[in-house]
Amino acid sequence: KQEVTQIPAALSVPEGENLVLNCSFTDSAIYNLQWFRQDPGKGLTSLLLIQSSQREQTSGRLNASLDKSSGRSTLYIAASQPGDSATYLCAGPLGGSYIPTFGRGTSLIVHP
Amino acid sequence: KAGVTQTPRYLIKTRGQQVTLSCSPISGHRSVSWYQQTPGQGLQFLFEYFSETQRNKGNFPGRFSGRQFSNSRSEMNVSTLELGDSALYLCASSSSQGALGTEAFFGQGTRLTVV
């Protein structure tokens, strides 16, 4: 069974810290990987999409990398702010299909 | 540009009833995918529609079905509701086939409670 695992499950940090969220997957042939943010009771907001031919993507204070050979993706958040508090999920189509598999997410709290 | 619109936002149904949820994608997007989110199972893919045809389906029973109209709006139907169907149902739209194959835009979701 194809799986996506996110570590840590929860994180609480003071404002200003640089953060690393990890996502591992069991399929090295992953088509692409997408990072999302979800606020409580709301839908998902796409943060970064990394295609299989790419190694990383950057948007503002966010940087995501993809290492297919090791089955890992990392989301780096620079200079965290209270507004970054949310659950971060990674997802991708695994197993050579178009069916996306989601991780369980990392719940992030950034306190002032 | 309007985002993805899901209606209704909240719904309470009784076991055994059926329910229909609606999703209007971003204008010009032809792919709509549906997801179920529960505390126990997390986010799970239900199915994807592209150009009025179901393209991919997740591992859910036949009680879960959907359709897509010529204007790309999609509906999801759940028949014979069970308590375990209580969840946040999300839909996402994207510009090309393959759920999450390109940047996906999610709606706010429909919170379904089965009593």
Side-chain angles (χ1 to χ4, degrees), chain B residues 72-111:
Chain B
S72 294
R73 188 178 71 85
S74 178
E75 288 183 345
M76 189 192 88
N77 185 76
V78 187
S79 62
T80 319
L81 284 166
E82 300 176 0
L83 295 178
D85 297 333
S86 295
L88 179 66
Y89 289 88
L90 296 164
C91 78
S93 79
S94 54
S95 57
S96 60
Q97 182 185 343
L100 303 193
T102 54
E103 186 178 7
F105 297 83
F106 279 76
Q108 294 278 59
T110 294
R111 172 73 64 184

PDB file of all heavy atoms in Angstrom, chain B residues 72-111:
ATOM      1  N   SER B  72     -18.922  21.998 -16.182  1.00  0.00           N
ATOM      2  CA  SER B  72     -17.892  21.526 -15.250  1.00  0.00           C
ATOM      3  C   SER B  72     -18.336  21.473 -13.797  1.00  0.00           C
ATOM      4  O   SER B  72     -17.601  20.949 -12.969  1.00  0.00           O
ATOM      5  CB  SER B  72     -16.586  22.335 -15.357  1.00  0.00           C
ATOM      6  OG  SER B  72     -15.984  22.120 -16.611  1.00  0.00           O
ATOM      7  N   ARG B  73     -19.490  21.989 -13.474  1.00  0.00           N
ATOM      8  CA  ARG B  73     -20.000  21.845 -12.113  1.00  0.00           C
ATOM      9  C   ARG B  73     -20.179  20.363 -11.811  1.00  0.00           C
ATOM     10  O   ARG B  73     -20.498  19.563 -12.705  1.00  0.00           O
ATOM     11  CB  ARG B  73     -21.324  22.571 -11.935  1.00  0.00           C
ATOM     12  CG  ARG B  73     -21.816  22.625 -10.480  1.00  0.00           C
ATOM     13  CD  ARG B  73     -23.119  23.422 -10.377  1.00  0.00           C
ATOM     14  NE  ARG B  73     -24.254  22.721 -10.955  1.00  0.00           N
ATOM     15  CZ  ARG B  73     -24.989  21.824 -10.313  1.00  0.00           C
ATOM     16  NH1 ARG B  73     -24.701  21.506  -9.050  1.00  0.00           N
ATOM     17  NH2 ARG B  73     -26.026  21.254 -10.914  1.00  0.00           N
ATOM     18  N   SER B  74     -19.926  20.001 -10.559  1.00  0.00           N
ATOM     19  CA  SER B  74     -19.982  18.591 -10.187  1.00  0.00           C
ATOM     20  C   SER B  74     -20.866  18.403  -8.965  1.00  0.00           C
ATOM     21  O   SER B  74     -20.993  19.304  -8.125  1.00  0.00           O
ATOM     22  CB  SER B  74     -18.576  18.062  -9.912  1.00  0.00           C
ATOM     23  OG  SER B  74     -18.603  16.707  -9.497  1.00  0.00           O
ATOM     24  N   GLU B  75     -21.482  17.266  -8.899  1.00  0.00           N
ATOM     25  CA  GLU B  75     -22.249  16.883  -7.722  1.00  0.00           C
ATOM     26  C   GLU B  75     -21.748  15.537  -7.223  1.00  0.00           C
ATOM     27  O   GLU B  75     -21.314  14.680  -8.002  1.00  0.00           O
ATOM     28  CB  GLU B  75     -23.745  16.753  -8.062  1.00  0.00           C
ATOM     29  CG  GLU B  75     -24.436  18.070  -8.317  1.00  0.00           C
ATOM     30  CD  GLU B  75     -25.917  17.892  -8.585  1.00  0.00           C
ATOM     31  OE1 GLU B  75     -26.356  16.753  -8.843  1.00  0.00           O
ATOM     32  OE2 GLU B  75     -26.632  18.900  -8.563  1.00  0.00           O
ATOM     33  N   MET B  76     -21.823  15.393  -5.902  1.00  0.00           N
ATOM     34  CA  MET B  76     -21.482  14.132  -5.284  1.00  0.00           C
ATOM     35  C   MET B  76     -22.707  13.656  -4.500  1.00  0.00           C
ATOM     36  O   MET B  76     -23.353  14.454  -3.822  1.00  0.00           O
ATOM     37  CB  MET B  76     -20.314  14.301  -4.320  1.00  0.00           C
ATOM     38  CG  MET B  76     -19.765  12.995  -3.797  1.00  0.00           C
ATOM     39  SD  MET B  76     -18.631  13.214  -2.424  1.00  0.00           S
ATOM     40  CE  MET B  76     -19.778  13.192  -1.081  1.00  0.00           C
ATOM     41  N   ASN B  77     -23.017  12.393  -4.615  1.00  0.00           N
ATOM     42  CA  ASN B  77     -24.175  11.826  -3.943  1.00  0.00           C
ATOM     43  C   ASN B  77     -23.740  10.687  -3.027  1.00  0.00           C
ATOM     44  O   ASN B  77     -22.881   9.871  -3.396  1.00  0.00           O
ATOM     45  CB  ASN B  77     -25.178  11.295  -4.980  1.00  0.00           C
ATOM     46  CG  ASN B  77     -26.454  10.813  -4.335  1.00  0.00           C
ATOM     47  OD1 ASN B  77     -27.299  11.585  -3.917  1.00  0.00           O
ATOM     48  ND2 ASN B  77     -26.605   9.502  -4.233  1.00  0.00           N
ATOM     49  N   VAL B  78     -24.306  10.677  -1.838  1.00  0.00           N
ATOM     50  CA  VAL B  78     -24.087   9.546  -0.928  1.00  0.00           C
ATOM     51  C   VAL B  78     -25.450   8.985  -0.572  1.00  0.00           C
ATOM     52  O   VAL B  78     -26.313   9.723  -0.071  1.00  0.00           O
ATOM     53  CB  VAL B  78     -23.341   9.955   0.349  1.00  0.00           C
ATOM     54  CG1 VAL B  78     -22.978   8.718   1.170  1.00  0.00           C
ATOM     55  CG2 VAL B  78     -22.090  10.752   0.022  1.00  0.00           C
ATOM     56  N   SER B  79     -25.649   7.724  -0.850  1.00  0.00           N
ATOM     57  CA  SER B  79     -26.936   7.095  -0.544  1.00  0.00           C
ATOM     58  C   SER B  79     -26.828   6.270   0.739  1.00  0.00           C
ATOM     59  O   SER B  79     -25.716   5.922   1.174  1.00  0.00           O
ATOM     60  CB  SER B  79     -27.377   6.203  -1.708  1.00  0.00           C
ATOM     61  OG  SER B  79     -26.439   5.158  -1.894  1.00  0.00           O
ATOM     62  N   THR B  80     -27.948   5.982   1.325  1.00  0.00           N
ATOM     63  CA  THR B  80     -28.032   5.148   2.529  1.00  0.00           C
ATOM     64  C   THR B  80     -26.960   5.565   3.537  1.00  0.00           C
ATOM     65  O   THR B  80     -26.044   4.808   3.886  1.00  0.00           O
ATOM     66  CB  THR B  80     -27.878   3.651   2.185  1.00  0.00           C
ATOM     67  OG1 THR B  80     -28.598   3.351   0.994  1.00  0.00           O
ATOM     68  CG2 THR B  80     -28.422   2.791   3.308  1.00  0.00           C
ATOM     69  N   LEU B  81     -27.064   6.783   4.003  1.00  0.00           N
ATOM     70  CA  LEU B  81     -26.055   7.356   4.882  1.00  0.00           C
ATOM     71  C   LEU B  81     -25.826   6.530   6.136  1.00  0.00           C
ATOM     72  O   LEU B  81     -26.773   5.988   6.735  1.00  0.00           O
ATOM     73  CB  LEU B  81     -26.454   8.777   5.269  1.00  0.00           C
ATOM     74  CG  LEU B  81     -26.236   9.843   4.195  1.00  0.00           C
ATOM     75  CD1 LEU B  81     -26.986  11.124   4.557  1.00  0.00           C
ATOM     76  CD2 LEU B  81     -24.761  10.108   3.986  1.00  0.00           C
ATOM     77  N   GLU B  82     -24.551   6.464   6.528  1.00  0.00           N
ATOM     78  CA  GLU B  82     -24.148   5.788   7.764  1.00  0.00           C
ATOM     79  C   GLU B  82     -23.497   6.836   8.666  1.00  0.00           C
ATOM     80  O   GLU B  82     -23.014   7.871   8.203  1.00  0.00           O
ATOM     81  CB  GLU B  82     -23.155   4.671   7.440  1.00  0.00           C
ATOM     82  CG  GLU B  82     -23.721   3.613   6.511  1.00  0.00           C
ATOM     83  CD  GLU B  82     -22.674   2.568   6.141  1.00  0.00           C
ATOM     84  OE1 GLU B  82     -21.514   2.683   6.606  1.00  0.00           O
ATOM     85  OE2 GLU B  82     -23.026   1.633   5.385  1.00  0.00           O
ATOM     86  N   LEU B  83     -23.458   6.508   9.970  1.00  0.00           N
ATOM     87  CA  LEU B  83     -22.850   7.441  10.921  1.00  0.00           C
ATOM     88  C   LEU B  83     -21.406   7.765  10.526  1.00  0.00           C
ATOM     89  O   LEU B  83     -20.941   8.893  10.676  1.00  0.00           O
ATOM     90  CB  LEU B  83     -22.893   6.868  12.333  1.00  0.00           C
ATOM     91  CG  LEU B  83     -24.282   6.677  12.944  1.00  0.00           C
ATOM     92  CD1 LEU B  83     -24.159   6.060  14.336  1.00  0.00           C
ATOM     93  CD2 LEU B  83     -25.039   7.993  13.011  1.00  0.00           C
ATOM     94  N   GLY B  84     -20.710   6.770   9.989  1.00  0.00           N
ATOM     95  CA  GLY B  84     -19.314   6.947   9.600  1.00  0.00           C
ATOM     96  C   GLY B  84     -19.101   7.844   8.398  1.00  0.00           C
ATOM     97  O   GLY B  84     -17.956   8.168   8.068  1.00  0.00           O
ATOM     98  N   ASP B  85     -20.185   8.249   7.752  1.00  0.00           N
ATOM     99  CA  ASP B  85     -20.062   9.169   6.615  1.00  0.00           C
ATOM    100  C   ASP B  85     -19.942  10.616   7.080  1.00  0.00           C
ATOM    101  O   ASP B  85     -19.701  11.510   6.257  1.00  0.00           O
ATOM    102  CB  ASP B  85     -21.274   9.031   5.690  1.00  0.00           C
ATOM    103  CG  ASP B  85     -21.388   7.655   5.058  1.00  0.00           C
ATOM    104  OD1 ASP B  85     -20.334   6.996   4.900  1.00  0.00           O
ATOM    105  OD2 ASP B  85     -22.517   7.241   4.741  1.00  0.00           O
ATOM    106  N   SER B  86     -20.110  10.847   8.373  1.00  0.00           N
ATOM    107  CA  SER B  86     -19.933  12.198   8.903  1.00  0.00           C
ATOM    108  C   SER B  86     -18.494  12.639   8.650  1.00  0.00           C
ATOM    109  O   SER B  86     -17.541  11.958   9.053  1.00  0.00           O
ATOM    110  CB  SER B  86     -20.218  12.218  10.408  1.00  0.00           C
ATOM    111  OG  SER B  86     -21.567  11.913  10.669  1.00  0.00           O
ATOM    112  N   ALA B  87     -18.344  13.753   7.986  1.00  0.00           N
ATOM    113  CA  ALA B  87     -17.009  14.183   7.562  1.00  0.00           C
ATOM    114  C   ALA B  87     -17.094  15.563   6.940  1.00  0.00           C
ATOM    115  O   ALA B  87     -18.180  16.093   6.695  1.00  0.00           O
ATOM    116  CB  ALA B  87     -16.427  13.203   6.535  1.00  0.00           C
ATOM    117  N   LEU B  88     -15.909  16.118   6.660  1.00  0.00           N
ATOM    118  CA  LEU B  88     -15.799  17.311   5.840  1.00  0.00           C
ATOM    119  C   LEU B  88     -15.540  16.830   4.416  1.00  0.00           C
ATOM    120  O   LEU B  88     -14.571  16.105   4.176  1.00  0.00           O
ATOM    121  CB  LEU B  88     -14.664  18.200   6.329  1.00  0.00           C
ATOM    122  CG  LEU B  88     -14.411  19.489   5.550  1.00  0.00           C
ATOM    123  CD1 LEU B  88     -15.597  20.456   5.697  1.00  0.00           C
ATOM    124  CD2 LEU B  88     -13.118  20.161   6.008  1.00  0.00           C
ATOM    125  N   TYR B  89     -16.401  17.191   3.498  1.00  0.00           N
ATOM    126  CA  TYR B  89     -16.239  16.805   2.100  1.00  0.00           C
ATOM    127  C   TYR B  89     -15.700  18.003   1.321  1.00  0.00           C
ATOM    128  O   TYR B  89     -16.308  19.076   1.309  1.00  0.00           O
ATOM    129  CB  TYR B  89     -17.549  16.302   1.514  1.00  0.00           C
ATOM    130  CG  TYR B  89     -17.928  14.957   2.092  1.00  0.00           C
ATOM    131  CD1 TYR B  89     -18.678  14.872   3.272  1.00  0.00           C
ATOM    132  CD2 TYR B  89     -17.484  13.780   1.505  1.00  0.00           C
ATOM    133  CE1 TYR B  89     -18.984  13.642   3.833  1.00  0.00           C
ATOM    134  CE2 TYR B  89     -17.797  12.543   2.053  1.00  0.00           C
ATOM    135  CZ  TYR B  89     -18.539  12.488   3.219  1.00  0.00           C
ATOM    136  OH  TYR B  89     -18.830  11.269   3.771  1.00  0.00           O
ATOM    137  N   LEU B  90     -14.574  17.796   0.694  1.00  0.00           N
ATOM    138  CA  LEU B  90     -13.896  18.858  -0.042  1.00  0.00           C
ATOM    139  C   LEU B  90     -13.871  18.549  -1.527  1.00  0.00           C
ATOM    140  O   LEU B  90     -13.745  17.383  -1.918  1.00  0.00           O
ATOM    141  CB  LEU B  90     -12.452  19.004   0.453  1.00  0.00           C
ATOM    142  CG  LEU B  90     -12.274  19.442   1.898  1.00  0.00           C
ATOM    143  CD1 LEU B  90     -10.845  19.178   2.364  1.00  0.00           C
ATOM    144  CD2 LEU B  90     -12.600  20.915   2.055  1.00  0.00           C
ATOM    145  N   CYS B  91     -13.991  19.571  -2.321  1.00  0.00           N
ATOM    146  CA  CYS B  91     -13.752  19.387  -3.741  1.00  0.00           C
ATOM    147  C   CYS B  91     -12.630  20.319  -4.170  1.00  0.00           C
ATOM    148  O   CYS B  91     -12.352  21.333  -3.503  1.00  0.00           O
ATOM    149  CB  CYS B  91     -15.011  19.611  -4.579  1.00  0.00           C
ATOM    150  SG  CYS B  91     -15.443  21.336  -4.862  1.00  0.00           S
ATOM    151  N   ALA B  92     -11.977  19.954  -5.231  1.00  0.00           N
ATOM    152  CA  ALA B  92     -10.880  20.746  -5.762  1.00  0.00           C
ATOM    153  C   ALA B  92     -11.003  20.823  -7.275  1.00  0.00           C
ATOM    154  O   ALA B  92     -11.471  19.875  -7.909  1.00  0.00           O
ATOM    155  CB  ALA B  92      -9.533  20.134  -5.385  1.00  0.00           C
ATOM    156  N   SER B  93     -10.614  21.930  -7.830  1.00  0.00           N
ATOM    157  CA  SER B  93     -10.609  22.044  -9.281  1.00  0.00           C
ATOM    158  C   SER B  93      -9.190  22.319  -9.763  1.00  0.00           C
ATOM    159  O   SER B  93      -8.361  22.902  -9.036  1.00  0.00           O
ATOM    160  CB  SER B  93     -11.561  23.140  -9.767  1.00  0.00           C
ATOM    161  OG  SER B  93     -11.015  24.442  -9.640  1.00  0.00           O
ATOM    162  N   SER B  94      -8.898  21.846 -10.952  1.00  0.00           N
ATOM    163  CA  SER B  94      -7.610  22.115 -11.577  1.00  0.00           C
ATOM    164  C   SER B  94      -7.809  22.189 -13.080  1.00  0.00           C
ATOM    165  O   SER B  94      -8.851  21.787 -13.607  1.00  0.00           O
ATOM    166  CB  SER B  94      -6.565  21.076 -11.200  1.00  0.00           C
ATOM    167  OG  SER B  94      -7.012  19.782 -11.484  1.00  0.00           O
ATOM    168  N   SER B  95      -6.794  22.679 -13.749  1.00  0.00           N
ATOM    169  CA  SER B  95      -6.949  22.994 -15.167  1.00  0.00           C
ATOM    170  C   SER B  95      -6.801  21.779 -16.072  1.00  0.00           C
ATOM    171  O   SER B  95      -7.265  21.798 -17.211  1.00  0.00           O
ATOM    172  CB  SER B  95      -5.946  24.063 -15.574  1.00  0.00           C
ATOM    173  OG  SER B  95      -4.625  23.629 -15.278  1.00  0.00           O
ATOM    174  N   SER B  96      -6.140  20.727 -15.585  1.00  0.00           N
ATOM    175  CA  SER B  96      -5.957  19.564 -16.443  1.00  0.00           C
ATOM    176  C   SER B  96      -6.297  18.291 -15.685  1.00  0.00           C
ATOM    177  O   SER B  96      -6.435  18.290 -14.462  1.00  0.00           O
ATOM    178  CB  SER B  96      -4.527  19.509 -16.970  1.00  0.00           C
ATOM    179  OG  SER B  96      -3.617  19.431 -15.899  1.00  0.00           O
ATOM    180  N   GLN B  97      -6.410  17.217 -16.421  1.00  0.00           N
ATOM    181  CA  GLN B  97      -6.787  15.932 -15.845  1.00  0.00           C
ATOM    182  C   GLN B  97      -5.703  15.434 -14.898  1.00  0.00           C
ATOM    183  O   GLN B  97      -4.529  15.684 -15.113  1.00  0.00           O
ATOM    184  CB  GLN B  97      -6.988  14.901 -16.942  1.00  0.00           C
ATOM    185  CG  GLN B  97      -7.430  13.538 -16.428  1.00  0.00           C
ATOM    186  CD  GLN B  97      -7.499  12.492 -17.504  1.00  0.00           C
ATOM    187  OE1 GLN B  97      -7.526  12.833 -18.690  1.00  0.00           O
ATOM    188  NE2 GLN B  97      -7.549  11.239 -17.125  1.00  0.00           N
ATOM    189  N   GLY B  98      -6.149  14.700 -13.877  1.00  0.00           N
ATOM    190  CA  GLY B  98      -5.204  14.161 -12.902  1.00  0.00           C
ATOM    191  C   GLY B  98      -5.272  14.969 -11.630  1.00  0.00           C
ATOM    192  O   GLY B  98      -4.668  16.029 -11.519  1.00  0.00           O
ATOM    193  N   ALA B  99      -6.060  14.481 -10.656  1.00  0.00           N
ATOM    194  CA  ALA B  99      -6.221  15.210  -9.401  1.00  0.00           C
ATOM    195  C   ALA B  99      -4.846  15.496  -8.808  1.00  0.00           C
ATOM    196  O   ALA B  99      -4.031  14.589  -8.643  1.00  0.00           O
ATOM    197  CB  ALA B  99      -7.049  14.386  -8.428  1.00  0.00           C
ATOM    198  N   LEU B 100      -4.555  16.723  -8.536  1.00  0.00           N
ATOM    199  CA  LEU B 100      -3.276  17.198  -8.005  1.00  0.00           C
ATOM    200  C   LEU B 100      -2.158  17.123  -9.052  1.00  0.00           C
ATOM    201  O   LEU B 100      -0.990  17.282  -8.727  1.00  0.00           O
ATOM    202  CB  LEU B 100      -2.851  16.443  -6.740  1.00  0.00           C
ATOM    203  CG  LEU B 100      -3.804  16.455  -5.558  1.00  0.00           C
ATOM    204  CD1 LEU B 100      -3.101  15.947  -4.313  1.00  0.00           C
ATOM    205  CD2 LEU B 100      -4.378  17.829  -5.311  1.00  0.00           C
ATOM    206  N   GLY B 101      -2.506  16.868 -10.300  1.00  0.00           N
ATOM    207  CA  GLY B 101      -1.487  16.850 -11.342  1.00  0.00           C
ATOM    208  C   GLY B 101      -0.947  18.231 -11.631  1.00  0.00           C
ATOM    209  O   GLY B 101       0.187  18.412 -12.031  1.00  0.00           O
ATOM    210  N   THR B 102      -1.801  19.219 -11.439  1.00  0.00           N
ATOM    211  CA  THR B 102      -1.393  20.617 -11.519  1.00  0.00           C
ATOM    212  C   THR B 102      -1.875  21.281 -10.238  1.00  0.00           C
ATOM    213  O   THR B 102      -2.479  20.635  -9.383  1.00  0.00           O
ATOM    214  CB  THR B 102      -2.013  21.315 -12.737  1.00  0.00           C
ATOM    215  OG1 THR B 102      -3.436  21.141 -12.692  1.00  0.00           O
ATOM    216  CG2 THR B 102      -1.491  20.729 -14.038  1.00  0.00           C
ATOM    217  N   GLU B 103      -1.638  22.555 -10.110  1.00  0.00           N
ATOM    218  CA  GLU B 103      -2.045  23.239  -8.891  1.00  0.00           C
ATOM    219  C   GLU B 103      -3.541  23.054  -8.675  1.00  0.00           C
ATOM    220  O   GLU B 103      -4.338  23.287  -9.589  1.00  0.00           O
ATOM    221  CB  GLU B 103      -1.708  24.725  -8.959  1.00  0.00           C
ATOM    222  CG  GLU B 103      -1.983  25.459  -7.656  1.00  0.00           C
ATOM    223  CD  GLU B 103      -1.592  26.928  -7.720  1.00  0.00           C
ATOM    224  OE1 GLU B 103      -1.240  27.389  -8.818  1.00  0.00           O
ATOM    225  OE2 GLU B 103      -1.661  27.595  -6.680  1.00  0.00           O
ATOM    226  N   ALA B 104      -3.904  22.620  -7.487  1.00  0.00           N
ATOM    227  CA  ALA B 104      -5.301  22.342  -7.164  1.00  0.00           C
ATOM    228  C   ALA B 104      -5.853  23.441  -6.277  1.00  0.00           C
ATOM    229  O   ALA B 104      -5.178  23.905  -5.353  1.00  0.00           O
ATOM    230  CB  ALA B 104      -5.415  20.989  -6.474  1.00  0.00           C
ATOM    231  N   PHE B 105      -7.077  23.841  -6.551  1.00  0.00           N
ATOM    232  CA  PHE B 105      -7.749  24.883  -5.772  1.00  0.00           C
ATOM    233  C   PHE B 105      -8.945  24.242  -5.072  1.00  0.00           C
ATOM    234  O   PHE B 105      -9.816  23.682  -5.738  1.00  0.00           O
ATOM    235  CB  PHE B 105      -8.202  26.021  -6.690  1.00  0.00           C
ATOM    236  CG  PHE B 105      -7.061  26.721  -7.371  1.00  0.00           C
ATOM    237  CD1 PHE B 105      -6.495  26.218  -8.527  1.00  0.00           C
ATOM    238  CD2 PHE B 105      -6.542  27.892  -6.835  1.00  0.00           C
ATOM    239  CE1 PHE B 105      -5.434  26.861  -9.152  1.00  0.00           C
ATOM    240  CE2 PHE B 105      -5.487  28.542  -7.452  1.00  0.00           C
ATOM    241  CZ  PHE B 105      -4.924  28.030  -8.614  1.00  0.00           C
ATOM    242  N   PHE B 106      -8.947  24.340  -3.760  1.00  0.00           N
ATOM    243  CA  PHE B 106      -9.974  23.680  -2.970  1.00  0.00           C
ATOM    244  C   PHE B 106     -11.083  24.639  -2.562  1.00  0.00           C
ATOM    245  O   PHE B 106     -10.847  25.834  -2.348  1.00  0.00           O
ATOM    246  CB  PHE B 106      -9.366  23.080  -1.704  1.00  0.00           C
ATOM    247  CG  PHE B 106      -8.685  21.760  -1.919  1.00  0.00           C
ATOM    248  CD1 PHE B 106      -7.437  21.703  -2.510  1.00  0.00           C
ATOM    249  CD2 PHE B 106      -9.302  20.582  -1.530  1.00  0.00           C
ATOM    250  CE1 PHE B 106      -6.803  20.476  -2.708  1.00  0.00           C
ATOM    251  CE2 PHE B 106      -8.687  19.355  -1.720  1.00  0.00           C
ATOM    252  CZ  PHE B 106      -7.434  19.305  -2.318  1.00  0.00           C
ATOM    253  N   GLY B 107     -12.285  24.073  -2.430  1.00  0.00           N
ATOM    254  CA  GLY B 107     -13.386  24.812  -1.852  1.00  0.00           C
ATOM    255  C   GLY B 107     -13.308  24.773  -0.329  1.00  0.00           C
ATOM    256  O   GLY B 107     -12.424  24.148   0.248  1.00  0.00           O
ATOM    257  N   GLN B 108     -14.261  25.456   0.319  1.00  0.00           N
ATOM    258  CA  GLN B 108     -14.274  25.521   1.777  1.00  0.00           C
ATOM    259  C   GLN B 108     -14.822  24.246   2.398  1.00  0.00           C
ATOM    260  O   GLN B 108     -14.660  24.022   3.602  1.00  0.00           O
ATOM    261  CB  GLN B 108     -15.125  26.706   2.242  1.00  0.00           C
ATOM    262  CG  GLN B 108     -14.548  28.053   1.858  1.00  0.00           C
ATOM    263  CD  GLN B 108     -13.468  28.511   2.822  1.00  0.00           C
ATOM    264  OE1 GLN B 108     -12.457  27.856   3.021  1.00  0.00           O
ATOM    265  NE2 GLN B 108     -13.694  29.644   3.439  1.00  0.00           N
ATOM    266  N   GLY B 109     -15.457  23.435   1.597  1.00  0.00           N
ATOM    267  CA  GLY B 109     -15.943  22.158   2.108  1.00  0.00           C
ATOM    268  C   GLY B 109     -17.392  22.180   2.545  1.00  0.00           C
ATOM    269  O   GLY B 109     -17.969  23.243   2.811  1.00  0.00           O
ATOM    270  N   THR B 110     -17.966  20.999   2.612  1.00  0.00           N
ATOM    271  CA  THR B 110     -19.310  20.791   3.175  1.00  0.00           C
ATOM    272  C   THR B 110     -19.157  19.901   4.389  1.00  0.00           C
ATOM    273  O   THR B 110     -18.619  18.793   4.288  1.00  0.00           O
ATOM    274  CB  THR B 110     -20.253  20.127   2.158  1.00  0.00           C
ATOM    275  OG1 THR B 110     -20.487  21.018   1.069  1.00  0.00           O
ATOM    276  CG2 THR B 110     -21.577  19.763   2.823  1.00  0.00           C
ATOM    277  N   ARG B 111     -19.602  20.399   5.537  1.00  0.00           N
ATOM    278  CA  ARG B 111     -19.540  19.612   6.772  1.00  0.00           C
ATOM    279  C   ARG B 111     -20.828  18.816   6.883  1.00  0.00           C
ATOM    280  O   ARG B 111     -21.900  19.375   7.106  1.00  0.00           O
ATOM    281  CB  ARG B 111     -19.378  20.532   7.970  1.00  0.00           C
ATOM    282  CG  ARG B 111     -19.492  19.828   9.315  1.00  0.00           C
ATOM    283  CD  ARG B 111     -18.287  18.983   9.620  1.00  0.00           C
ATOM    284  NE  ARG B 111     -17.069  19.759   9.763  1.00  0.00           N
ATOM    285  CZ  ARG B 111     -15.869  19.221   9.960  1.00  0.00           C
ATOM    286  NH1 ARG B 111     -15.740  17.908  10.014  1.00  0.00           N
ATOM    287  NH2 ARG B 111     -14.813  19.981  10.082  1.00  0.00           N
TER     288      ARG B 111
END
